[in-house]
């Protein structure tokens, strides 16, 4: 049996319940063996707009978040590769790591709407099935020349941006990130001085 592997890329600064609910529900809906939460090394579309937390800390948080979850794994290939992170390259890497696997690129609706701005996005569409996570009642308009699989997941209005701001001004993150992620944040002293 060939593996079915989902690639869910992100900055994960920090990873939150929105990411986890998405990953487990897409895995279930599309019967994927694995969903790789791939931690971007340099998120080139975000670089320069705000300070990005060190990749080792972001990887540690994702590893903590998925440690006890069946079928979810933290991906470090983009960090190991170094430089800017392009999904086209990462899919090539996964094709070598999981020979013959069917690959699925999973994106949230905001990321899907900007798909055509991705470096070598035609290659991404050729190497993988595109999956967009739909929020109930709010189907996003998608680049029409590509075929998209839509998976509906519960809408959780949580973003890493909001979590960094909460952390910076001392509001609780409980239930928005897992306890294990909270431990990493506290131990490493992340986001204390983060600004919106
Ligand atoms: P930031 O606020 O810093 O942009 P983020 O919360 O959007 O962070 P990212 O790491 O940028 O998180 O997102 C990684 C992927 O997760 C993207 O495909 C994004 O669309 C998706 N995503 C982010 N938040 C949610 C959410 N609450 N529910 C479902 N998908 C989400
Ligand atoms: Mg985002």
């Amino acid at each position: 049996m060939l593996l079915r592997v989902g690639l869910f890329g992100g900055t994960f600064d920090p990873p939150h319940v929105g990411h986890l609910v998405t990953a487990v529900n897409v895995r279930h809906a599309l019967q994927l063996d694995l969903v790789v939460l791939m931690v971007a090394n340099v998120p080139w579309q975000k670089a320069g707009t705000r300070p990005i937390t060190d990749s080792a800390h972001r990887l540690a948080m994702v590893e903590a978040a998925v440690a006890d979850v069946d079928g979810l794994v933290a991906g470090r290939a983009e960090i190991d590769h170094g430089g800017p992170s392009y999904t086209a390259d990462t899919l090539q890497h996964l094709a070598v790591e999981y020979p013959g696997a069917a690959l699925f690129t999973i994106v949230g609706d905001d990321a899907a709407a900007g798909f055509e701005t991705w470096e070598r996005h035609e290659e991404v569409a050729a190497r993988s099935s595109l999956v967009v996570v739909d929020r109930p009642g709010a189907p996003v308009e998608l680049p029409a020349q590509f075929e998209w699989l839509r998976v509906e997941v519960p809408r959780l209005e949580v973003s890493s941006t909001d979590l960094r701001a909460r952390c910076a001004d001392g509001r609780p993150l409980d239930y928005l990130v897992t306890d294990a992620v909270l431990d990493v944040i506290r131990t490493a002293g992340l986001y204390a001085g983060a600004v919106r």
Side-chain angles (χ1 to χ4, degrees):
M1 272 286 284
L2 291 175
L3 287 181
R4 293 165 64 79
V5 176
L7 169 61
F8 186 37
T11 313
F12 301 117
D13 193 9
H16 52 65
V17 291
H19 298 133
L20 296 171
V21 166
T22 295
V24 295
N25 280 282
V26 171
R27 175 170 182 254
H28 177 83
L30 300 180
Q31 294 175 297
L32 306 182
D33 297 286
L34 277 183
V35 173
V36 182
L37 282 78
M38 183 63 71
V39 181
N41 184 43
V42 180
W44 57 278
Q45 290 199 328
K46 285 179 181 169
T49 60
R50 67 169 179 85
I52 309 287
T53 301
D54 186 74
S55 60
H57 287 316
R58 291 184 288 110
L59 178 63
M61 288 189 283
V62 174
E63 284 173 342
V66 301
D68 299 329
V69 190
D70 269 355
L72 302 195
V73 296
R76 57 174 305 148
E78 294 185 355
I79 294 173
D80 291 343
H81 178 267
S85 306
Y86 301 128
T87 301
D89 297 327
T90 308
L91 287 167
Q92 208 168 337
H93 171 89
L94 290 177
V96 174
E97 188 172 355
Y98 303 105
L103 300 177
F104 298 78
T105 298
I106 303 162
V107 293
D109 52 7
D110 57 319
F115 180 67
E116 283 156 304
T117 70
W118 291 18
E119 185 87 8
R120 291 163 24 236
H121 60 275
E122 291 94 345
E123 191 182 327
V124 173
R127 287 184 176 274
S128 65
S129 303
L130 305 178
V131 182
V132 61
V133 176
D134 251 330
R135 322 294 180 85
V140 66
E141 200 156 319
L142 296 170
Q145 69 274 40
F146 302 103
E147 212 176 297
W148 294 87
L149 297 168
R150 288 176 179 269
V151 176
E152 200 175 276
V153 306
R155 177 195 272 277
L156 294 171
E157 282 306 331
V158 46
S159 71
S160 302
T161 301
D162 178 53
L163 293 178
R164 291 190 299 273
R166 298 179 68 85
C167 212
D169 54 27
R171 284 172 288 161
L173 268 60
D174 304 81
Y175 308 112
L176 300 172
V177 303
T178 69
D179 288 347
V181 170
L182 207 46
D183 278 346
V184 177
I185 292 174
R186 288 203 182 117
T187 305
L190 303 179
Y191 310 120
V195 285
R196 215 180 276 260

